[in-house]
Amino acid sequence: MNKTININLANMLFHMDEDAYNKMQRYLESVKRSFANTPGSDEILADIEARIAELFHEKLDNERQVITIKQVDEVIAIMGQPEDYMVDEDIFEDEPHTGRTNSDHRKSKKLYRDTEQKYVAGVSSGLAHYFNIDPLWIRLLWVLLTIGSTGGFILIYGLLWLLIPEAATTAQKLDMRGEDVNISNIERKVKEGFDDVAQKIKSVDYEGVGNKVKSGGKSFFDTLGDIIMFFFKVIGKFIGIILIIIGASTIIGLFIGMITVGISDMVQIPGLNMYNLVDASNMPIWLVSILGFLAIGIPFFFLLYLGLKILVNNLKSIGNIAKFSLLGLWLISIIMLIVFGIKQAAARAYSDTSELTEDLYFRDLTDTLDIQVVAYDTRFRNKRRVELDGLTITRNEAGEEVMVLDDVSFYIERSRDSIAKIEIVKESDGSSFKKAEELAEKINYEYKIEGNTLLLEDFLTTARENKIMNQEVRVNIFIPAGALLKYNKESGFNCWRFHAKNDRDLDGCEIKGEIWKMGADGELKCQECPEISDIEEDDGNGRNKIRINKNGIDIDIQDDGESFKMKIDEEGVQIKAHENDANGKNEININEDGINIDVDDNHPEPEAPDPKI
């Protein structure tokens, strides 16, 4: 049994057994001794410890796991032994080395902002390192895209500035270039930084530096960058809040909906358990609800996670196992929902009909036939039922559960002989023509004749187990030529589903109550409707007009010396008389305001005012 020791490495807490701790301590002490007289040794050691802590963190499954000597050996193998590297100036000479170099093995690069070669924020130089091209081409591309998009790519640059982290540590700078983060590369990178600083100190213009310090200390782009970064951070936080709200509310709503659907299916809540009426795949509703929850909820979960990442800088990752597991569940749910949709569509891919034609025997065909449409409310008024839009679930006289649908239409046509007939065309969808025909035959539609009255139901019924398969009924009524008929309907009937060609061009809602006669041309003729005439006479010169139409009566008579106009319409009666040779005018208006007489002559009598009644 080994003793466990808690250590703090680069501000990260780890649990190590005693043997692993002793070996790691000896290793760090040897590394420290090797850099004892090296410029920037403190920064080198800090970066080495940060890299070791990062490697330990990658190898742990959870925070309570203890680091063993095996894991220490693996980390040391990655970092390398101090004696493997030359800790002197010769490592930076231009002569080729015989040992292993960084070019022998390249790791995958990580995307960072290179602030050492920045002009604004280092986005372009960071992208250049990632794609291994000159930063100049990236900057030229930004300029061209910004001009071409009238400034739209400035927003994209700002988002990249916000989302791409800065390469601050030596390890991050090595990751940005795709170099191994080991002792040799960390030392080389740190010493390069010291050499750059020394070179700048040698060539510095102290007078210019003094002027810059006096003028403000920061460059224009640094100050501008800080301002822009502040606003982008504020916008980013706001976007993160919006993403969290959208993701969380959607997931909560989907969860409540899934639970509600599952409960309604288990306890058979009336009005909610309608799923089996439209489902033709026999897939349980609880499974469909779970698949829908996963298909929609998982993307919104990642949206929620993205919002949290934006708001919380140090948010711990959910891990690759969780990410790929959720992705797998999402793909499975999408595939199963697609299969479910294909089955639903295939179950309604075909359509067929079932037809029935019967003769209608009225009491007296020479008398007026009365056609009445009975709404389903009349028949099922006293029965328990659940109603949706156009659908009613109730029980018939035998106690069987049936669906009542209002997809029934009526057409009045002329019979080819002297016998009245009725044709009932039932239509349904199905997975095949045979199945569609079978479902059409299972549709129930009834009518009856009482004396000279034909009672038509405006609904169809079918057993609940037949499901909703776009069942429809068309009722064609054939009336002999010369027969008189009258159409009435009860309240609740959609009159626009009643069709009859007539001489008044009226729809099914307007022809009710009138007596119609079936013409030889198949058109109904109204028997008691007011006459509509359209008479127009004209002498060819625009004078002597008489118009009688739906707008009223318009009479315009012009003679050589006189003009007479009379108009009768909904506004009243207007009479105008005008004598051209006398330049006078006489006008009489009769409307709802009364009678107005206007007499205009060349020699009006002063004592005769215009009378008005």
Side-chain angles (χ1 to χ4, degrees), residues 3 18 33 41 50 62 234 263 266 310 321 332 426 486 494 496 502 510 531 546 609:
K3 183 190 295 184
E18 189 174 11
R33 286 194 301 269
S41 59
N62 56 71
V234 173
I263 292 176
M266 287 186 295
I310 293 175
I321 295 178
I332 292 173
K426 306 174 184 178
K486 184 173 64 173
N494 295 325
W496 53 267
N502 57 85
E510 298 171 330
E531 292 293 335
I546 301 177

Side-chain angles (χ1 to χ4, degrees), residues 364-521:
D364 186 2
L365 197 57
T366 60
D367 196 3
T368 301
L369 308 179
D370 189 8
I371 298 177
Q372 295 186 12
V373 178
V374 181
Y376 75 90
D377 284 340
T378 303
R379 177 172 173 181
F380 296 102
R381 181 175 296 144
N382 298 323
K383 292 183 177 292
R384 292 182 179 180
R385 60 184 189 268
V386 177
E387 295 186 12
L388 296 176
D389 186 18
L391 168 67
T392 301
I393 306 297
T394 184
R395 295 183 181 275
N396 57 17
E397 289 78 2
E400 300 170 341
E401 203 170 40
V402 296
M403 297 185 299
V404 183
L405 303 172
D406 63 354
D407 290 327
V408 180
S409 57
F410 305 91
Y411 291 83
I412 304 294
E413 300 180 12
R414 183 182 66 86
S415 177
R416 296 183 179 180
D417 50 33
S418 59
I419 301 176
K421 301 178 183 293
I422 186 171
E423 181 184 47
I424 301 174
V425 181
K426 306 174 184 178
E427 183 176 0
S428 178
D429 294 342
S431 57
S432 63
F433 286 119
K434 182 178 180 181
K435 183 64 176 178
E437 184 180 5
E438 291 176 356
L439 292 174
E441 291 175 350
K442 293 179 181 179
I443 296 174
N444 299 316
Y445 181 80
E446 299 179 2
Y447 72 93
K448 63 181 179 179
I449 298 177
E450 295 179 354
N452 262 29
T453 302
L454 174 63
L455 299 174
L456 301 171
E457 294 180 345
D458 75 331
F459 58 90
L460 63 93
T461 61
T462 186
R464 179 167 181 161
E465 59 266 20
N466 294 332
K467 302 182 182 295
I468 298 177
M469 289 292 181
N470 296 325
Q471 290 94 334
E472 297 179 1
V473 169
R474 170 170 173 154
V475 180
N476 298 320
I477 305 169
F478 299 96
I479 303 297
L484 299 176
L485 60 94
K486 184 173 64 173
Y487 153 69
N488 290 290
K489 69 178 184 67
E490 293 185 358
S491 60
F493 169 64
N494 295 325
C495 52
W496 53 267
R497 292 192 275 119
F498 195 94
H499 307 274
K501 184 180 178 182
N502 57 85
D503 60 351
R504 297 304 176 99
D505 196 21
L506 302 178
D507 58 26
C509 300
E510 298 171 330
I511 66 174
K512 64 180 183 301
E514 305 291 346
I515 296 178
W516 302 86
K517 182 178 181 180
M518 177 60 71
D521 56 355

